[in-house]
Amino acid sequence: MAIEILKPGLATSIQDSGRPGYYHLGIPMSGAMDQESYLVANLLVGNDEKAAVIECTLLAPEMQLHQDALIAITGAPAEPKINGEAVPMNTSIAVRSGDKLSFGFMRTGVRSYVAVAGGIDVPLILGSRSTYALGAFGGFEGRKLQAGDVVPIGAPSPAAKAGRSIDPGLLPRFDREVTLRMMPGLYFHRLKPESAETFFSDTWTVAPEADRIAYRYKAGQPLKYIDRTPPFGAGSDPSNIVDSGYPYGSIQVPSGLEPIIVHRDAVSGGGYGVIGTVISADMNLIAQMQPNNKAHFLRVDMHQALQARRLHKQHLARIRQALSG
């Protein structure tokens, strides 16, 4: 009752809906970076929508099934194959014990999800099966998957059936250039007005330093801060503060040079002033941005952010409805 990892891929890990409720203790929420693709994967195979799946990053793993199973692959187009034969994504597929699952290169997007009927059956840690590799707990032995790992699978539900698929119009897009809506934060007022303008008018490029902890962006104009006398403990860099908490999606700009957006495995606080926060409805977009993809930041207010969240929840409700029964 298991899957064996033959080749681990670039950064493959077990993830679920996440581990909320411990951020104040320094433990991030973790969980699937692209929660929408993760949800679709579980619903396709009849799982509880919070079941654990395998998250694949850029270079997906090669795996072998050691039992008959039902699988679905969602997220970034990854050219999946079973025993060398191409199989569709976003469809539930019956596989036999001994079958080998492999992938091609993700030409757009970054993360694909492999759900298995019954879910990945690793232990719950603080209510979640998600891997937090920086803290070395959760998932499979608290780390990324390696060659030779044998990952256990739970018992499938009666809802599991082959051939289930989803209307492509309900699936996320994987554009190489996106707009990220953000609300200005506690320290936005420290930017000089001309820098506040260029931050929104520039085109920013995803740097190679992009992972589950944070995404760094480059190629915009350096930001300038209003002169001030830093308080004791903040240091001389004008982008620094004494210390504060970091909300999920917060934007820091160390030395005013390259914005960094913290994501699901980020630390919960530190000494960089947060100039704003990307709204929750757009965090899945960040999760699927490859290095050198482009982004624009768009300023929104609280009303617009809440409206975007309502629309996103309505979209997820349509996905659940489409895959019910």
Side-chain angles (χ1 to χ4, degrees), residues 160-184:
K161 62 180 181 181
R164 177 180 288 170
S165 60
I166 184 170
D167 179 352
L170 290 173
L171 294 172
R173 297 174 54 178
F174 303 99
D175 296 328
R176 291 186 169 88
E177 185 163 342
V178 302
T179 296
L180 301 175
R181 293 166 288 184
M182 61 85 79
M183 288 182 57

Side-chain angles (χ1 to χ4, degrees), residues 6-7 16 40 66 86 103 107 134 137 140 169 226 271:
L6 303 178
K7 297 178 181 177
D16 63 10
V40 173
H66 288 306
F103 298 86
R107 301 185 187 281
L134 199 61
F137 66 86
F140 188 89
I226 295 171

Side-chain angles (χ1 to χ4, degrees), residues 222-244:
L223 303 184
K224 296 179 180 178
Y225 290 81
I226 295 171
D227 293 335
R228 66 174 180 134
T229 301
F232 177 78
S236 58
D237 191 312
S239 68
N240 284 2
I241 58 174
V242 176
D243 253 354
S244 75

Side-chain angles (χ1 to χ4, degrees), residues 18-292:
R19 188 175 286 114
Y22 303 96
Y23 206 45
H24 64 296
L25 300 176
I27 299 174
M29 65 176 75
S30 298
M33 289 281 283
D34 176 357
Q35 287 281 314
E36 185 174 330
S37 297
Y38 155 78
L39 171 68
V40 173
N42 269 327
L43 295 181
L44 281 170
V45 296
N47 281 351
D48 181 283
E49 62 182 59
K50 294 187 176 181
V53 305
I54 296 175
E55 180 179 86
C56 315
T57 305
L58 280 176
L59 180 62
E62 184 175 329
M63 301 179 275
Q64 185 170 30
L65 279 295
H66 288 306
Q67 65 179 87
D68 294 351
L70 186 75
I71 66 170
I73 302 147
T74 65
E79 302 176 0
K81 300 180 180 66
I82 293 177
N83 301 326
E85 297 291 329
V87 294
M89 295 189 60
N90 305 303
T91 301
S92 59
I93 303 166
V95 292
R96 306 300 299 266
S97 180
D99 283 351
K100 291 182 179 179
L101 177 62
S102 60
F103 298 86
F105 182 72
M106 298 178 195
R107 301 185 187 281
T108 58
V110 174
R111 293 176 171 86
S112 300
Y113 293 89
V114 180
V116 184
I120 303 301
D121 192 21
V122 292
L124 284 166
I125 304 292
L126 298 176
S128 169
R129 293 182 168 86
S130 286
T131 308
Y132 177 41
L134 199 61
F137 66 86
F140 188 89
E141 298 182 357
R143 57 169 172 77
K144 300 172 186 174
L145 295 177
Q146 301 174 357
D149 288 343
V150 178
V151 180
I153 302 170
S157 79
K161 62 180 181 181
R164 177 180 288 170
S165 60
I166 184 170
D167 179 352
L170 290 173
L171 294 172
R173 297 174 54 178
F174 303 99
D175 296 328
R176 291 186 169 88
E177 185 163 342
V178 302
T179 296
L180 301 175
R181 293 166 288 184
M182 61 85 79
M183 288 182 57
L186 288 176
Y187 304 98
F188 187 80
H189 68 283
R190 289 186 174 170
L191 294 178
K192 290 185 175 180
E194 60 268 28
S195 277
E197 291 297 321
T198 60
F199 177 76
F200 291 114
S201 62
D202 278 346
T203 299
W204 296 91
T205 301
V206 177
E209 301 90 345
D211 56 22
R212 290 186 49 84
I213 298 171
Y215 266 61
R216 182 185 290 266
Y217 293 79
K218 61 182 183 180
Q221 298 177 63
L223 303 184
K224 296 179 180 178
Y225 290 81
I226 295 171
D227 293 335
R228 66 174 180 134
T229 301
F232 177 78
S236 58
D237 191 312
S239 68
N240 284 2
I241 58 174
V242 176
D243 253 354
S244 75
Y246 294 155
Y248 168 59
S250 64
I251 306 170
Q252 312 152 8
V253 194
S255 301
L257 298 176
E258 297 177 340
I260 297 172
I261 303 174
V262 302
H263 222 290
R264 297 191 74 90
D265 280 356
V267 297
S268 55
Y272 294 123
V274 171
I275 66 165
T277 304
V278 175
I279 67 172
S280 59
D282 288 350
M283 291 302 289
N284 291 337
L285 295 176
I286 297 173
Q288 294 289 3
M289 295 189 75
Q290 291 188 358
N292 291 320

